[in-house]
Amino acid sequence: MVDYGKEFMLYLMDEKCYDNYFLKFDLLDGDCFRALLSKGLGLGIIAGSVLVKVPQITKILGNRSARGISLFSVCLDLFAITIHMAYSFVNGFPFSAWGDTAFLALQTAIIAMMVLFFGGSTVLAAAFSFAYSGLVYALMGGLTPLNYLLIAQGFNVPILLLGKLSQAFANYRNGSTGQLSAVTCFMLLAGSLARIFTSIQETGDQMMIITYGSSSFANLVIALQVLYYWNSDKQKKSGSTGAAAVKKPKAKSKKTD
């Protein structure tokens, strides 16, 4: 039992930190604390990413509509997530530093298919799923050289910003966030902010740090829009309901002599 416990702790920290904590009882080691915090945050982000876009998916399903969701934004976001996932996987970075992108990619792909499906393009939705599966295999199955992935990762920042900010522009143009889930938006913001720290601590890769910094900025813009437009849909619905509830005055009956 002790061996299993040690193996688990060695997944969270290296041998040196294990000795400091459990043999020397040095609980004030700053480097070990930062490493342990980063690993714990990474695993927490991965656990949260399993469900981070589920509220968005269920909201679309519940309303049977993807109104207000920009397909262009979703596809750009999916491309950026997929490139980041493939880049991290091929580089051999710890799973705790990028594992959330695997779940985000799957859920974002589902959202893209739902936007196409509820937009009336069933065939396109099916074709998209096959095309995306082939792209993931090509990027992560050893068919794409690492230097190509590095170049693609370099384009990730403008692609990510373009995708997120196009959704922000769509929100501004519509005067509403439509079917966007507030829970999903705030979870994405929290995750991207935490990833800045874990990327610095676990990989030191400047490209990953810049990517998550840009993602945090774009997610913040959308989260602020969610707060700003919070009551817009409710007011529109209440306004239309109130107008419908106004009854027309009854015509006066004619008096007979």
PDB file of all heavy atoms in Angstrom, residues 143-163:
ATOM      1  N   LEU A 143       2.429  11.455 -39.053  1.00  0.00           N
ATOM      2  CA  LEU A 143       2.454  11.795 -40.472  1.00  0.00           C
ATOM      3  C   LEU A 143       2.907  13.234 -40.711  1.00  0.00           C
ATOM      4  O   LEU A 143       3.258  13.589 -41.839  1.00  0.00           O
ATOM      5  CB  LEU A 143       1.062  11.592 -41.082  1.00  0.00           C
ATOM      6  CG  LEU A 143       0.464  10.180 -40.974  1.00  0.00           C
ATOM      7  CD1 LEU A 143      -0.919  10.141 -41.603  1.00  0.00           C
ATOM      8  CD2 LEU A 143       1.385   9.162 -41.638  1.00  0.00           C
ATOM      9  N   THR A 144       2.875  14.065 -39.668  1.00  0.00           N
ATOM     10  CA  THR A 144       3.242  15.480 -39.802  1.00  0.00           C
ATOM     11  C   THR A 144       4.567  15.746 -39.087  1.00  0.00           C
ATOM     12  O   THR A 144       4.679  15.479 -37.887  1.00  0.00           O
ATOM     13  CB  THR A 144       2.155  16.383 -39.199  1.00  0.00           C
ATOM     14  OG1 THR A 144       0.888  16.057 -39.782  1.00  0.00           O
ATOM     15  CG2 THR A 144       2.474  17.847 -39.459  1.00  0.00           C
ATOM     16  N   PRO A 145       5.585  16.248 -39.781  1.00  0.00           N
ATOM     17  CA  PRO A 145       6.874  16.540 -39.141  1.00  0.00           C
ATOM     18  C   PRO A 145       6.728  17.580 -38.036  1.00  0.00           C
ATOM     19  O   PRO A 145       5.858  18.453 -38.096  1.00  0.00           O
ATOM     20  CB  PRO A 145       7.733  17.085 -40.294  1.00  0.00           C
ATOM     21  CG  PRO A 145       7.079  16.572 -41.540  1.00  0.00           C
ATOM     22  CD  PRO A 145       5.612  16.512 -41.228  1.00  0.00           C
ATOM     23  N   LEU A 146       7.601  17.491 -37.034  1.00  0.00           N
ATOM     24  CA  LEU A 146       7.537  18.390 -35.891  1.00  0.00           C
ATOM     25  C   LEU A 146       7.737  19.845 -36.295  1.00  0.00           C
ATOM     26  O   LEU A 146       7.091  20.743 -35.736  1.00  0.00           O
ATOM     27  CB  LEU A 146       8.592  17.988 -34.843  1.00  0.00           C
ATOM     28  CG  LEU A 146       8.660  18.863 -33.585  1.00  0.00           C
ATOM     29  CD1 LEU A 146       7.326  18.871 -32.853  1.00  0.00           C
ATOM     30  CD2 LEU A 146       9.773  18.364 -32.659  1.00  0.00           C
ATOM     31  N   ASN A 147       8.623  20.098 -37.270  1.00  0.00           N
ATOM     32  CA  ASN A 147       8.859  21.494 -37.662  1.00  0.00           C
ATOM     33  C   ASN A 147       7.622  22.121 -38.293  1.00  0.00           C
ATOM     34  O   ASN A 147       7.383  23.323 -38.166  1.00  0.00           O
ATOM     35  CB  ASN A 147      10.062  21.598 -38.604  1.00  0.00           C
ATOM     36  CG  ASN A 147       9.875  20.777 -39.866  1.00  0.00           C
ATOM     37  OD1 ASN A 147       9.242  19.729 -39.843  1.00  0.00           O
ATOM     38  ND2 ASN A 147      10.432  21.240 -40.972  1.00  0.00           N
ATOM     39  N   TYR A 148       6.771  21.306 -38.946  1.00  0.00           N
ATOM     40  CA  TYR A 148       5.509  21.813 -39.479  1.00  0.00           C
ATOM     41  C   TYR A 148       4.541  22.162 -38.348  1.00  0.00           C
ATOM     42  O   TYR A 148       3.819  23.167 -38.423  1.00  0.00           O
ATOM     43  CB  TYR A 148       4.859  20.792 -40.407  1.00  0.00           C
ATOM     44  CG  TYR A 148       5.534  20.630 -41.749  1.00  0.00           C
ATOM     45  CD1 TYR A 148       6.722  21.302 -42.040  1.00  0.00           C
ATOM     46  CD2 TYR A 148       4.998  19.809 -42.735  1.00  0.00           C
ATOM     47  CE1 TYR A 148       7.344  21.158 -43.272  1.00  0.00           C
ATOM     48  CE2 TYR A 148       5.613  19.657 -43.972  1.00  0.00           C
ATOM     49  CZ  TYR A 148       6.800  20.342 -44.220  1.00  0.00           C
ATOM     50  OH  TYR A 148       7.423  20.203 -45.436  1.00  0.00           O
ATOM     51  N   LEU A 149       4.553  21.326 -37.321  1.00  0.00           N
ATOM     52  CA  LEU A 149       3.703  21.600 -36.167  1.00  0.00           C
ATOM     53  C   LEU A 149       4.155  22.873 -35.450  1.00  0.00           C
ATOM     54  O   LEU A 149       3.334  23.640 -34.945  1.00  0.00           O
ATOM     55  CB  LEU A 149       3.720  20.414 -35.190  1.00  0.00           C
ATOM     56  CG  LEU A 149       2.978  19.160 -35.634  1.00  0.00           C
ATOM     57  CD1 LEU A 149       3.182  18.041 -34.628  1.00  0.00           C
ATOM     58  CD2 LEU A 149       1.489  19.449 -35.800  1.00  0.00           C
ATOM     59  N   LEU A 150       5.467  23.085 -35.409  1.00  0.00           N
ATOM     60  CA  LEU A 150       5.999  24.295 -34.782  1.00  0.00           C
ATOM     61  C   LEU A 150       5.545  25.537 -35.546  1.00  0.00           C
ATOM     62  O   LEU A 150       5.152  26.543 -34.940  1.00  0.00           O
ATOM     63  CB  LEU A 150       7.529  24.229 -34.738  1.00  0.00           C
ATOM     64  CG  LEU A 150       8.246  25.445 -34.138  1.00  0.00           C
ATOM     65  CD1 LEU A 150       7.825  25.645 -32.687  1.00  0.00           C
ATOM     66  CD2 LEU A 150       9.759  25.273 -34.233  1.00  0.00           C
ATOM     67  N   ILE A 151       5.575  25.464 -36.873  1.00  0.00           N
ATOM     68  CA  ILE A 151       5.102  26.589 -37.689  1.00  0.00           C
ATOM     69  C   ILE A 151       3.602  26.821 -37.463  1.00  0.00           C
ATOM     70  O   ILE A 151       3.151  27.964 -37.295  1.00  0.00           O
ATOM     71  CB  ILE A 151       5.382  26.325 -39.183  1.00  0.00           C
ATOM     72  CG1 ILE A 151       6.892  26.279 -39.436  1.00  0.00           C
ATOM     73  CG2 ILE A 151       4.734  27.386 -40.055  1.00  0.00           C
ATOM     74  CD1 ILE A 151       7.269  25.819 -40.830  1.00  0.00           C
ATOM     75  N   ALA A 152       2.845  25.726 -37.439  1.00  0.00           N
ATOM     76  CA  ALA A 152       1.397  25.842 -37.224  1.00  0.00           C
ATOM     77  C   ALA A 152       1.090  26.418 -35.845  1.00  0.00           C
ATOM     78  O   ALA A 152       0.181  27.237 -35.691  1.00  0.00           O
ATOM     79  CB  ALA A 152       0.741  24.470 -37.381  1.00  0.00           C
ATOM     80  N   GLN A 153       1.877  26.011 -34.846  1.00  0.00           N
ATOM     81  CA  GLN A 153       1.694  26.540 -33.493  1.00  0.00           C
ATOM     82  C   GLN A 153       1.969  28.038 -33.455  1.00  0.00           C
ATOM     83  O   GLN A 153       1.340  28.782 -32.702  1.00  0.00           O
ATOM     84  CB  GLN A 153       2.617  25.801 -32.513  1.00  0.00           C
ATOM     85  CG  GLN A 153       2.531  26.251 -31.067  1.00  0.00           C
ATOM     86  CD  GLN A 153       1.248  25.855 -30.386  1.00  0.00           C
ATOM     87  OE1 GLN A 153       0.397  25.173 -30.962  1.00  0.00           O
ATOM     88  NE2 GLN A 153       1.072  26.297 -29.149  1.00  0.00           N
ATOM     89  N   GLY A 154       2.890  28.495 -34.293  1.00  0.00           N
ATOM     90  CA  GLY A 154       3.184  29.922 -34.379  1.00  0.00           C
ATOM     91  C   GLY A 154       2.010  30.724 -34.906  1.00  0.00           C
ATOM     92  O   GLY A 154       1.827  31.891 -34.542  1.00  0.00           O
ATOM     93  N   PHE A 155       1.206  30.105 -35.782  1.00  0.00           N
ATOM     94  CA  PHE A 155       0.014  30.774 -36.307  1.00  0.00           C
ATOM     95  C   PHE A 155      -1.176  30.655 -35.364  1.00  0.00           C
ATOM     96  O   PHE A 155      -2.230  31.238 -35.620  1.00  0.00           O
ATOM     97  CB  PHE A 155      -0.373  30.186 -37.665  1.00  0.00           C
ATOM     98  CG  PHE A 155       0.515  30.627 -38.791  1.00  0.00           C
ATOM     99  CD1 PHE A 155       1.479  29.770 -39.310  1.00  0.00           C
ATOM    100  CD2 PHE A 155       0.402  31.901 -39.332  1.00  0.00           C
ATOM    101  CE1 PHE A 155       2.310  30.175 -40.347  1.00  0.00           C
ATOM    102  CE2 PHE A 155       1.219  32.316 -40.372  1.00  0.00           C
ATOM    103  CZ  PHE A 155       2.181  31.452 -40.872  1.00  0.00           C
ATOM    104  N   ASN A 156      -1.000  29.898 -34.281  1.00  0.00           N
ATOM    105  CA  ASN A 156      -2.109  29.643 -33.368  1.00  0.00           C
ATOM    106  C   ASN A 156      -2.641  30.909 -32.708  1.00  0.00           C
ATOM    107  O   ASN A 156      -3.843  31.054 -32.510  1.00  0.00           O
ATOM    108  CB  ASN A 156      -1.682  28.656 -32.274  1.00  0.00           C
ATOM    109  CG  ASN A 156      -2.547  27.413 -32.274  1.00  0.00           C
ATOM    110  OD1 ASN A 156      -3.398  27.246 -33.128  1.00  0.00           O
ATOM    111  ND2 ASN A 156      -2.318  26.542 -31.321  1.00  0.00           N
ATOM    112  N   VAL A 157      -1.725  31.815 -32.346  1.00  0.00           N
ATOM    113  CA  VAL A 157      -2.149  33.023 -31.633  1.00  0.00           C
ATOM    114  C   VAL A 157      -3.084  33.883 -32.486  1.00  0.00           C
ATOM    115  O   VAL A 157      -4.195  34.215 -32.047  1.00  0.00           O
ATOM    116  CB  VAL A 157      -0.927  33.835 -31.149  1.00  0.00           C
ATOM    117  CG1 VAL A 157      -1.366  35.170 -30.576  1.00  0.00           C
ATOM    118  CG2 VAL A 157      -0.152  33.048 -30.097  1.00  0.00           C
ATOM    119  N   PRO A 158      -2.692  34.266 -33.723  1.00  0.00           N
ATOM    120  CA  PRO A 158      -3.639  35.058 -34.524  1.00  0.00           C
ATOM    121  C   PRO A 158      -4.913  34.294 -34.870  1.00  0.00           C
ATOM    122  O   PRO A 158      -6.000  34.883 -34.930  1.00  0.00           O
ATOM    123  CB  PRO A 158      -2.836  35.402 -35.788  1.00  0.00           C
ATOM    124  CG  PRO A 158      -1.701  34.446 -35.825  1.00  0.00           C
ATOM    125  CD  PRO A 158      -1.392  34.125 -34.401  1.00  0.00           C
ATOM    126  N   ILE A 159      -4.799  32.975 -35.086  1.00  0.00           N
ATOM    127  CA  ILE A 159      -5.997  32.182 -35.393  1.00  0.00           C
ATOM    128  C   ILE A 159      -6.937  32.159 -34.203  1.00  0.00           C
ATOM    129  O   ILE A 159      -8.157  32.338 -34.331  1.00  0.00           O
ATOM    130  CB  ILE A 159      -5.596  30.746 -35.802  1.00  0.00           C
ATOM    131  CG1 ILE A 159      -4.926  30.749 -37.172  1.00  0.00           C
ATOM    132  CG2 ILE A 159      -6.814  29.824 -35.807  1.00  0.00           C
ATOM    133  CD1 ILE A 159      -4.353  29.415 -37.569  1.00  0.00           C
ATOM    134  N   LEU A 160      -6.362  31.937 -33.023  1.00  0.00           N
ATOM    135  CA  LEU A 160      -7.167  31.879 -31.803  1.00  0.00           C
ATOM    136  C   LEU A 160      -7.848  33.214 -31.541  1.00  0.00           C
ATOM    137  O   LEU A 160      -9.045  33.268 -31.229  1.00  0.00           O
ATOM    138  CB  LEU A 160      -6.265  31.491 -30.632  1.00  0.00           C
ATOM    139  CG  LEU A 160      -6.921  31.172 -29.287  1.00  0.00           C
ATOM    140  CD1 LEU A 160      -6.066  30.144 -28.546  1.00  0.00           C
ATOM    141  CD2 LEU A 160      -7.065  32.413 -28.432  1.00  0.00           C
ATOM    142  N   LEU A 161      -7.081  34.303 -31.683  1.00  0.00           N
ATOM    143  CA  LEU A 161      -7.654  35.627 -31.459  1.00  0.00           C
ATOM    144  C   LEU A 161      -8.743  35.939 -32.486  1.00  0.00           C
ATOM    145  O   LEU A 161      -9.800  36.492 -32.143  1.00  0.00           O
ATOM    146  CB  LEU A 161      -6.555  36.689 -31.520  1.00  0.00           C
ATOM    147  CG  LEU A 161      -5.602  36.742 -30.327  1.00  0.00           C
ATOM    148  CD1 LEU A 161      -4.479  37.736 -30.582  1.00  0.00           C
ATOM    149  CD2 LEU A 161      -6.352  37.104 -29.050  1.00  0.00           C
ATOM    150  N   LEU A 162      -8.496  35.584 -33.738  1.00  0.00           N
ATOM    151  CA  LEU A 162      -9.486  35.832 -34.786  1.00  0.00           C
ATOM    152  C   LEU A 162     -10.771  35.059 -34.504  1.00  0.00           C
ATOM    153  O   LEU A 162     -11.877  35.596 -34.650  1.00  0.00           O
ATOM    154  CB  LEU A 162      -8.919  35.437 -36.149  1.00  0.00           C
ATOM    155  CG  LEU A 162      -9.841  35.635 -37.359  1.00  0.00           C
ATOM    156  CD1 LEU A 162     -10.210  37.103 -37.509  1.00  0.00           C
ATOM    157  CD2 LEU A 162      -9.178  35.115 -38.629  1.00  0.00           C
ATOM    158  N   GLY A 163     -10.624  33.793 -34.091  1.00  0.00           N
ATOM    159  CA  GLY A 163     -11.794  32.978 -33.813  1.00  0.00           C
ATOM    160  C   GLY A 163     -12.609  33.496 -32.643  1.00  0.00           C
ATOM    161  O   GLY A 163     -13.830  33.654 -32.728  1.00  0.00           O
TER     162      GLY A 163
END
